[in-house]
Amino acid sequence: MPQFWKPGTAAPGSSLDRETESEGSIVPSASAAISHLSLEAQRQRLPIYKHREKLLWCVEKYRTVIVVGQTGCGKSTQIPQYLHEAGWTNQNHVVACTQPRRVAATTVATRVAEEVGSVLGDEVGYSIRFEDLWSPERTKIKYMTDGMLFRETMVDPLLSRYSVIMIDEAHERGAYTDLLLGLVKKIMRKRPELRVIISSATIEAEDFMEYFNSNADGSDRSEDDAIIVSLEGRMFPVEVCYLREPTADYVHTAIDTIFDIHLKEPAGDVLVFLTGREEIDQALQNIADRLQTLPKAAPKMLALPLYATLPVEEQEIIFEAPPRDTRKVILATNIAEASVTIDGIKYVVDSGFVKIKTFNPRNSMDVLTVTPCSLASANQRAGRAGRTSAGKCFRLYPPSMLPTRNSGSQMPITTPPELTRSDISLYILQLKALGIDNLAKFDFMSPPPSDMMIRALEFLYSLNAIDDEGRLTRPMGARMAEVPVDPMMAAILLNSHEMKCSEEMLTIAAMTQVQNVFVIPEGGMKATMAELERRKFTAEEGDHLTLLNVYNAFVRLGMRDKQWCGNHRINHKALSRAVSIRKQLKKYLERFGIKSSSCEGDAKKLRRCLVTGYFKNAARMMPDGTYRSAREGATLHVHPSSVMFTRQPSTGWVIFHEVIETSKSFMRDLTVIEEEWLVDLAPHYYKFKGGGIKKH
DNA sequence: GAGCACTGC
């Protein structure tokens, strides 16, 4: 059985790890006990209420207020209301509050509308992609995804409608959060009256403080612009234990720990953080085997998986109460760290690892690797044990793994921001559309590495989105920045008019934006059946045309018939989303004055049109069945989810949407093309040389 | 021959 270090008996390590124990003082959970009170009384009972005056004073005096407080302390719901009550919404001004996720924006808005006593969409509204529920005349508090507010700057560069902008969950450092931070800081120079509130977790607060108190060139601002306000947490204490010795197999140790908790600790549900679906399924299997060996009288356990690709119905099972006298054990990916909150968790088992995607600009490949999670993550995970009562967190590593300020450790203090580890071409294009041509001067909180910047610019140039001086081309580049899809697909859509296939391409573009078109169950007979269903839609030409077939069949037969979707293993939710996306994209094309056209079943037009955007992603099949990229000569493999996994391209050549490197480099979403098309449609990128094509 | 962490416009 794993040996854990009991903290408090001896100092386990650096001063940093003390933060893990200061999750908050003992303040009873607000929601459970006081639901019989009026909404107003409930608001005044919230721990944050006693900070109301202080908060308002700070917003009055400082231009940036960094608010630190536990998730659930009422920051997101209360602060915009305080500002509204204090008059920040006078003179037609609006208080904006951004969220990194759609569900958060809508649920918080719904709650606040209720507290304000307004119909949702009236005084309190929200704006997320495909859903606008607010009134230009009456809405005073507007919740929105950070991506939506970023987009708004394309129409209103100074965001002049807003008196206060609150950026919630800023510590997560999503791409659009970072872009907004940079823009908002820029806007503040032109609008001294604008107030910005950043909501952050403890560890990251200083970084925001530093950022807002300095100029882009590194010099300090003349006055103190930013202040940190700490709100009292209402979390219960979480006791953190560490492994005495590192483990070579954290899945195995996690299972040992689960059984230790199950047999020795008082009642309470367990949340286990692992890194992926495969690991979770394997662990579930092992747990089931081990439960068989327990004596009949042993307490009962119900182990459940939780990851994003799990069908929604199966995800919802975790919220149900388990049978009597049964301990619920949830094995989750990082989805349970911020996106999904489960109440009643008393024990957290933290593997200390996370699967993270990073972009390699040298070969344009995304790499998905298991790495140690950050201390910030570890703290967030531990906090999940203290939401409804005091809890315990078992970290499957020794305290010596924790980072210290001076020594380099495997574990970073914070997770690298998304902008520093992604393909940034889309974001660069959008910044250019905002008139930010000199990206070196843009005040990124964490500037993307220069090789990523260079690659993105080269790529945008090859798509004819920017000219050789780095300026946005018109109308092409400007339109590409506006369409809400990645630059390659944007180029394809805009070229589809000329290639006479815009109707079909709208569908293909929409379908490539949704994940999990097919519901493929885990292994065995069911998976084989699902595979057979998918073959009914398979197009010889590859995945893009297969997606087109699926969409057309769905619109004809499945849209109002969930049974049909079930029978064909098609994800109804995903397809419905594709219908929305297609509608939205069509509106853009109409606005650009692009007339609709159809290729009338001529698949060659479609495949050629795809080459106009995907030309960079071309590969040739080798005799051994693997592929070589035209660009770098890298060895690539067909992802098993592709229809090309079981067939060979008649021409020997394919283009693909993306490569992701896991155990191998896998191409996803493939279409068979002719080699000549590359030179024909992307002459600036390829030319004939000797027997075959070469990249310029 | 065999597989994707999580968001967002």
Side-chain angles (χ1 to χ4, degrees):
Chain A
M1 287 293 136
Q3 294 286 306
F4 282 93
W5 183 293
K6 305 288 176 191
T9 51
S14 69
S15 62
L16 270 173
D17 62 359
R18 298 207 60 79
E19 291 177 45
T20 61
E21 286 139 53
S22 62
E23 291 292 343
S25 51
I26 306 173
V27 179
S29 167
S31 57
I34 56 175
S35 56
H36 62 282
L37 296 174
S38 75
L39 284 171
E40 186 51 34
Q42 282 187 40
R43 286 189 59 207
Q44 294 182 14
R45 287 275 187 109
L46 286 173
I48 192 176
Y49 187 75
K50 56 177 166 296
H51 300 282
R52 186 180 185 274
E53 295 311 314
K54 180 172 78 185
L55 269 168
L56 288 172
W57 182 84
C58 288
V59 175
E60 196 75 50
K61 183 145 189 331
Y62 292 86
R63 294 170 39 176
T64 310
V65 179
I66 297 142
V67 179
V68 173
Q70 282 300 320
T71 19
C73 75
K75 282 179 303 201
S76 331
T77 57
Q78 301 308 302
I79 294 175
Q81 289 189 71
Y82 297 163
L83 295 165
H84 175 42
E85 290 155 0
W88 285 93
T89 51
N90 292 348
Q91 287 133 29
N92 281 327
H93 275 126
V94 176
V95 169
C97 180
T98 71
Q99 298 291 328
R101 282 167 291 278
R102 292 160 54 90
V103 269
T106 54
T107 52
V108 177
T110 308
R111 172 71 192 175
V112 173
E114 204 182 313
E115 290 184 4
V116 168
S118 108
V119 176
L120 187 59
D122 206 70
E123 219 171 313
V124 181
Y126 69 85
S127 173
I128 60 177
R129 190 183 183 185
F130 309 127
E131 277 181 63
D132 255 334
L133 202 58
W134 58 283
S135 146
E137 294 82 30
R138 293 189 302 278
T139 296
K140 301 292 178 198
I141 300 174
K142 190 169 159 193
Y143 288 91
M144 56 215 296
T145 44
D146 41 23
M148 279 307 260
L149 188 59
F150 178 79
R151 221 152 234 283
E152 219 172 296
T153 59
M154 292 189 185
V155 188
D156 177 8
L158 292 180
L159 296 175
S160 51
R161 177 198 300 275
Y162 304 102
S163 56
V164 185
I165 293 169
M166 173 166 168
I167 302 180
D168 210 351
E169 314 285 359
H171 59 275
E172 291 183 17
R173 304 292 303 275
Y176 282 112
T177 300
D178 269 23
L179 291 171
L180 257 189
L181 287 169
L183 285 179
V184 156
K185 199 175 163 188
K186 191 176 149 92
I187 292 170
M188 287 170 85
R189 287 207 297 268
K190 295 198 176 138
R191 285 189 57 201
E193 82 286 5
L194 178 68
R195 292 296 183 268
V196 175
I197 297 175
I198 306 291
S199 121
S200 161
T202 318
I203 296 187
E204 295 90 344
E206 283 290 336
D207 297 338
F208 289 111
M209 177 83 167
E210 235 169 76
Y211 175 62
F212 277 99
N213 268 342
S214 69
N215 292 314
D217 59 14
S219 64
D220 283 344
R221 286 192 178 186
S222 49
E223 70 238 90
D224 275 346
D225 266 348
I227 187 173
I228 296 177
V229 178
S230 186
L231 307 175
E232 193 176 282
R234 64 163 221 219
M235 300 289 292
F236 293 88
V238 175
E239 184 189 344
V240 181
C241 309
Y242 297 86
L243 222 53
R244 283 200 183 278
E245 300 293 332
T247 169
D249 182 350
Y250 61 79
V251 179
H252 188 249
T253 313
I255 294 168
D256 285 347
T257 309
I258 292 166
F259 276 89
D260 258 11
I261 295 169
H262 185 53
L263 299 174
K264 292 177 195 158
E265 297 279 349
D269 296 341
V270 186
L271 174 60
V272 187
F273 284 97
L274 294 173
T275 70
R277 170 181 176 166
E278 205 184 345
E279 237 170 56
I280 289 171
D281 288 341
Q282 180 210 328
L284 281 172
Q285 188 59 55
N286 291 355
I287 289 172
D289 292 347
R290 200 139 138 195
L291 281 171
Q292 301 278 318
T293 68
L294 289 186
K296 276 232 164 73
K300 294 188 181 62
M301 183 200 293
L302 177 65
L304 298 165
L306 174 65
Y307 41 79
T309 49
L310 202 65
V312 194
E313 312 82 66
E314 285 179 59
Q315 279 191 25
E316 281 163 356
I317 298 174
I318 61 159
F319 296 110
E320 291 168 15
R324 254 179 79 84
D325 300 323
T326 303
R327 192 194 296 269
K328 197 155 70 172
V329 176
I330 296 158
L331 304 169
T333 60
N334 226 22
I335 192 173
E337 197 181 295
S339 307
V340 175
T341 299
I342 312 149
D343 275 325
I345 298 294
K346 209 170 171 60
Y347 307 97
V348 162
V349 177
D350 178 11
S351 66
F353 286 91
V354 65
K355 216 178 260 187
I356 197 167
K357 195 155 104 173
T358 46
F359 181 70
N360 180 348
R362 284 206 316 252
N363 54 15
S364 288
M365 284 188 213
D366 280 320
V367 189
L368 198 61
T369 36
V370 174
T371 54
C373 73
S374 64
L375 177 61
S377 261
N379 290 349
Q380 175 75 18
R381 291 175 177 189
R384 297 270 142 176
R387 290 184 57 79
T388 33
S389 64
K392 240 177 166 178
C393 172
F394 298 84
R395 291 181 171 165
L396 304 185
Y397 47 88
S400 58
M401 290 291 286
L402 294 169
T404 54
R405 296 242 183 252
N406 308 319
S407 76
S409 161
Q410 272 201 326
M411 185 188 250
I413 295 176
T414 56
T415 310
E418 197 184 348
L419 268 187
T420 65
R421 52 184 175 84
S422 315
D423 177 1
I424 51 171
S425 7
L426 169 67
Y427 308 120
I428 298 297
L429 184 63
Q430 290 179 334
L431 286 175
K432 296 250 178 209
L434 292 175
I436 298 157
D437 271 323
N438 190 347
L439 292 161
K441 278 202 175 161
F442 186 71
D443 192 2
F444 288 104
M445 185 164 163
S446 307
S450 60
D451 50 354
M452 288 205 185
M453 199 87 96
I454 291 164
R455 200 217 67 97
L457 290 169
E458 280 173 357
F459 179 48
L460 290 172
Y461 176 71
S462 80
L463 282 174
N464 189 26
I466 57 175
D467 63 22
D468 47 15
E469 283 172 48
R471 280 184 308 233
L472 207 64
T473 58
R474 290 182 196 276
M476 186 64 175
R479 287 176 174 176
M480 278 172 67
E482 251 189 275
V483 191
V485 291
D486 66 87
M488 283 186 290
M489 197 40 97
I492 291 166
L493 265 183
L494 293 169
N495 293 331
S496 71
H497 169 59
E498 209 179 303
M499 312 285 280
K500 300 270 182 297
C501 56
S502 70
E503 284 298 316
E504 290 83 1
M505 212 44 90
L506 278 168
T507 303
I508 292 173
M511 288 293 277
T512 53
Q513 305 298 306
V514 300
Q515 284 121 37
N516 312 314
V517 167
F518 294 98
V519 183
I520 306 281
E522 75 298 343
M525 199 49 195
K526 278 183 180 168
T528 317
M529 291 304 291
E531 191 57 41
L532 286 173
E533 284 303 325
R534 197 184 65 172
R535 288 201 187 149
K536 294 181 183 165
F537 302 98
T538 297
E540 286 293 323
E541 296 89 346
D543 297 307
H544 294 102
L545 285 141
T546 302
L547 290 173
L548 179 63
N549 289 342
V550 172
Y551 184 94
N552 289 338
F554 174 76
V555 171
R556 220 171 46 244
L557 304 162
M559 195 119 78
R560 280 169 209 85
D561 188 355
K562 286 200 174 173
Q563 185 67 46
W564 182 90
C565 291
N567 290 344
H568 293 84
R569 306 295 193 274
I570 281 171
N571 183 344
H572 187 273
K573 205 179 134 199
L575 267 292
S576 305
R577 190 172 152 79
V579 172
S580 305
I581 296 175
R582 191 184 187 282
K583 261 188 211 147
Q584 193 191 35
L585 295 176
K586 196 176 164 75
K587 266 190 209 157
Y588 277 95
L589 292 196
E590 280 165 2
R591 194 147 61 71
F592 298 150
I594 294 176
K595 287 200 196 88
S596 108
S597 55
S598 165
C599 67
E600 311 289 352
D602 182 354
K604 189 175 158 188
K605 278 187 188 158
L606 289 174
R607 289 154 64 213
R608 282 176 59 89
C609 190
L610 286 167
V611 171
T612 68
Y614 282 138
F615 55 83
K616 169 180 69 83
N617 293 348
R620 177 223 295 262
M621 200 179 78
M622 294 287 122
D624 64 358
T626 66
Y627 287 74
R628 295 287 176 281
S629 68
R631 191 188 155 85
E632 318 278 344
T635 301
L636 303 175
H637 301 264
V638 180
H639 193 277
S641 67
S642 168
V643 299
M644 297 307 293
F645 187 67
T646 50
R647 57 190 71 225
Q648 298 188 348
S650 51
T651 61
W653 283 83
V654 294
I655 44 95
F656 52 88
H657 181 71
E658 60 177 356
V659 178
I660 182 124
E661 187 187 325
T662 50
S663 55
K664 289 174 181 167
S665 296
F666 289 107
M667 300 177 282
R668 301 177 40 124
D669 291 341
L670 288 76
T671 283
V672 180
I673 59 153
E674 306 275 351
E675 181 184 7
E676 303 85 72
W677 296 351
L678 291 172
V679 187
D680 181 16
L681 298 165
H684 54 294
Y685 204 78
Y686 294 104
K687 61 181 174 190
F688 272 108
K689 209 177 205 178
I693 64 155
K694 289 274 185 306
K695 184 186 174 293
H696 267 305

